[in-house]
Amino acid sequence: MKVWALVLVAAFVIIGISAVDKNKFKTCSQSGFCKRLRPFKPEKSQYSLNLDSILVHGNVLSAEVVTIDAADEKRTVLWKYAFKLSALADGTFRVELDEADPLYPRYRTQLALDGEPKADGLKLISKDDGKVILVNTQGHKVIITSEPLKLEFLDQNGEVAVVLNENSQLLVEPLRARREKVEDEDGDGANQLDDEEGTWSETFQSHHDSKPRGNEAVSLDVVFPDADHVYGIPEHTDGLALKTTTSGDPYRLYNLDVFEYILDSRMAIYGSVPVMYAHGPKRTVGVFWHNSAETWIDVVNYGEGNVVSSLVNLVTGGQKKRVDARFLSESGIVDMFVLMGSTPGDAFRQYTALTGTTPLPPKFSLGYHQCRWNYMDEADVRSVDENFDVHDIPMDSIWLDIEYTNKKMYFTWDVVKFPHPAEMVANLTAKGRKMVVIVDPHIKREPGYFLHEDATELGYYVKDRDGKDYEGWCWPGSSSYPDFFNPVVSRYYSDRYRFENFPGTSKDVHLWNDMNEPSVFNGPEVTMPKDCRHYKPPQDGLEGLAAYWEHRHVHNEYGLWNLRATNTGLLDRADGVYRPFLLTRAVFAGTQRYSAVWTGDNTAEWSFLAASVPMCLSLAIAGNSFCGSDVGGFFKYPEAELMTRWYQAAAFQPFFRAHSHIETKRREPWLYPAATTALIRDANRKRYALLDFWYTLFYEHTVDGLPVMRPLFQHYPDEPATYPIDDQYLLGDALLVKPVTTAGASSVEVYLPGDGPWYDVDTYVPHKGPRITQPVTISKIPVYQRGGTIVPRRERVRRSSALMADDPFTLVVALDANNSARGSLYIDDGETYEYKNNKYIYAKIEFGPDEMTYTLASEGAQYPTGAWLERVVVAGIRAAPRSARLQQDGRQTALQMTLHKGNDVLVLRKPAASMARPWTITFAY
């Protein structure tokens, strides 16, 4: 068996450097519930609301919903359901539909929400003529048609913004007991179980799914009137704006380990975040499908010019702006949140209000990360670390992949290759650097391995269909998987991260949870069988099928439970003093509360560099702001131009890490020709000059819930040209980035939204759009600062971010048409939670013709930073002042000024103002 395991693992290494085998993964026609229910398009919905059952209490309307046998004149009730409509804070509604008396409890996703959503007021206005009208405190009305059941959500202008069950595709398959067949005429059918095709079992390739609860799918259609495009539902590779799916499979959400995934595809990959936004000139709205089972989503955009839209327009007599979507999940209940917007920022914020924001990360994690599968020993780590210094390239952390462990047993070290881990880490921390190590959820089934012995003895593993410890195959060979749904298991797992349980680690060793979809090399679709069993809290009277959850119910949530256990362990090991950094590959709603994400096993090709932008934009608007891709590509080897362009692009993406496959040629920056090394150095230095800008954006994200990396339409919702753009993006509202993603480029086309001006960050030359052709060289990608903004920089770049803590600031002021600009700056210690005790600075910076002010915006908050103001650069100055004076702490100082007339830039030199206290610079003309 061990020999077979080694062959299997070796095969996966080889597969990793060839194209993905699509036959390993299901299409809709191979997924039983998708094949069965995708054609479900009745003329009239069977679901009706019982008006006599309505009860409005607080923020909730509850009622009975029934299905009616349409062919029966007596209108026989087939099934009863419990319906709830809740009004939630900030223009959000929640719609829930569950069986009134299910045979077994149906699974409700547990961990996606960041606590119980806050309630809003809900008022019943009328209940007449088969319609119920309600309104929340913000003026959003809901019209419920009782028969057939339909819900219309109206915006504050009284126009319909979202419709549920317009297309009659609402469905909750009732759970039912498996019956014995009735004996047929020949007596051959006696005592045989009902085995209707696909109801009680399914087979995919050689894998058999027992389906002991039978069919239990749920479905709901959504209509977005007046929408031009829909976005979201990551993780996919086909662009930011979602496409009509009538000519192929729907989008699939099912966390899977897909080696060398393909582009322009709706296939499932590592992440599943079931939130969708619809945008048009009138409004932005969204829906969040709160379900952790396998999910397929159809989209029909009637403005795309496809066959379906053409037929609809022919019938309606004109172009119809509308997008329809349909969510279809294998199990669970109907549980949908409706986000009423009405701007893109409003809708994005409403989603993060439900599922949480990315907590303020440790500052080092916004720097550059150097990773490879694998740095093979301590000497290798030391050499890589020293070469970053030799070549003057800033770097904040070195990562270790699975080979650092003792035979792939996590929470251990290879005593030959890494005999002195604490000293190795100390050598890094002496330079302000950190280490990140990998811990995957698969546990090696090795006799004598403490983690396996404990999990076996205490029953901590996920169980197979027969209730025995599930055994699959992953990197260690034979492996089992902790059942994180059991709080005792999660607590045990969290404790493995304590310093005394993981010798060699310290507060400066951070974590990477990979393979947590979960990946099972010999499992169906390279993951865990759906009929595996997970822990369910014991309840009186519940036994048999009701006493546990199946993996099919929780699949997309498994990685999130893994992350929560790891995050808890990292917090507890240091008594909650230090902020942890954690990276994940599996993604679900709520992942952002615990972890950064990356786009997985990409390839060293130009198309994958280009794809990194829409993939991270899609994740960002779905709450996951801390996103990046493997710089240079995980598979294959990037030649010099591609590697240069990738560093230049990634330096302006939130998570900045180089990573590569074990079989690829080494590609540390100094292994390229000297000219390329210099270009990579320049890209990294640009990142470090802007670290405080990044840090401020992430702090503001914790406050307002808005993405750090933003699509153009977020800030320019009235410009239709921005709606499909996904090859350029905004950082906050200040910087616009257009990476160069094609070989041999000498120029790129850039869309500059709004009235401008937009200033080239390298030359301060202003540009106005909407479209320009920007010349580029190998040393430049187009980056612009919006007129009206102020961006903080530190020009004294050192070997790591920690060493720059007290270095001086340059403030770059880009003036708008009114000669004004605004910005902000956040400062704290960069690593602890002391900011929650008011030990931080959040400053507002304003520039006007007469003065520039630096004001502490958070009352009672202070931090004794040693940083000071070295320079102010004002771009777009029209009339230079005659003099400038700094005022701080009651003292005034005359400032040196230089005007560069060639590009209208004014430079104020060495004001030497402390950034710990307010100051003002006044101008005289």
Side-chain angles (χ1 to χ4, degrees), residues 784-862:
Y784 307 90
Q785 183 174 339
R786 181 176 64 83
T789 63
I790 299 173
V791 171
R793 297 173 57 90
R794 299 206 207 211
E795 303 294 353
R796 301 185 187 184
V797 174
R798 302 187 189 273
R799 67 177 68 178
S800 67
S801 62
L803 303 182
M804 298 170 62
D806 290 330
D807 283 345
F809 280 92
T810 292
L811 297 178
V812 179
V813 180
L815 296 180
D816 62 13
N818 298 316
N819 290 324
S820 64
R822 292 176 176 81
S824 54
L825 176 63
Y826 178 81
I827 302 173
D828 66 10
D829 65 22
E831 64 173 358
T832 77
Y833 286 99
E834 281 296 294
Y835 71 91
K836 294 187 175 183
N837 297 321
N838 275 343
K839 293 183 179 179
Y840 70 94
I841 292 167
Y842 182 59
K844 293 290 188 179
I845 313 168
E846 297 192 17
F847 185 99
D850 299 322
E851 66 178 16
M852 180 178 186
T853 60
Y854 176 87
T855 306
L856 304 188
S858 296
E859 186 176 350
Q862 291 183 331

Side-chain angles (χ1 to χ4, degrees), residues 320-493:
K320 190 177 183 67
K321 288 180 63 173
R322 158 178 160 174
V323 180
D324 291 4
R326 192 259 186 113
F327 291 77
L328 176 59
S329 293
E330 185 175 16
S331 63
I333 67 167
V334 169
D335 188 0
M336 178 171 278
F337 293 85
V338 179
L339 317 173
M340 295 301 294
S342 63
T343 68
D346 290 336
F348 300 159
R349 183 194 67 248
Q350 288 158 358
Y351 174 72
T352 55
L354 293 172
T355 62
T357 61
T358 298
L360 185 63
K363 196 172 185 180
F364 91 89
S365 65
L366 299 176
Y368 172 70
H369 303 262
Q370 182 65 38
C371 185
R372 177 174 174 81
W373 179 22
N374 204 87
Y375 291 121
M376 299 309 297
D377 53 30
E378 291 177 1
D380 198 2
V381 171
R382 183 168 56 253
S383 174
V384 171
D385 173 51
E386 290 173 349
N387 268 296
F388 273 94
D389 296 337
V390 168
H391 296 278
D392 195 24
I393 302 172
M395 180 268 290
D396 259 83
S397 71
I398 292 181
W399 293 47
L400 295 179
D401 211 317
I402 54 179
E403 311 303 333
Y404 80 91
T405 62
N406 177 21
K407 300 177 182 177
K408 298 181 178 62
M409 292 183 285
Y410 299 109
F411 305 102
T412 71
W413 298 86
D414 185 317
V415 296
V416 174
K417 297 177 179 178
F418 296 93
H420 310 104
E423 293 178 19
M424 175 179 62
V425 172
N427 290 335
L428 292 173
T429 59
K431 301 176 180 181
R433 291 175 175 150
K434 317 291 182 183
M435 175 160 278
V436 182
V437 299
I438 195 169
V439 173
D440 295 339
H442 49 257
I443 305 302
K444 186 173 186 177
R445 296 182 62 85
E446 177 84 5
Y449 174 30
F450 70 89
L451 192 50
H452 172 60
E453 295 284 357
D454 287 353
T456 301
E457 179 182 351
L458 299 170
Y460 286 173
Y461 285 138
V462 174
K463 308 305 179 189
D464 64 16
R465 72 183 69 167
D466 299 317
K468 301 175 182 177
D469 288 349
Y470 171 68
E471 179 179 349
W473 296 89
C474 208
W475 296 124
S478 179
S479 303
S480 289
Y481 297 75
D483 189 356
F484 298 107
F485 292 81
N486 185 336
V488 175
V489 177
S490 281
R491 179 69 266 171
Y492 171 85
Y493 190 85

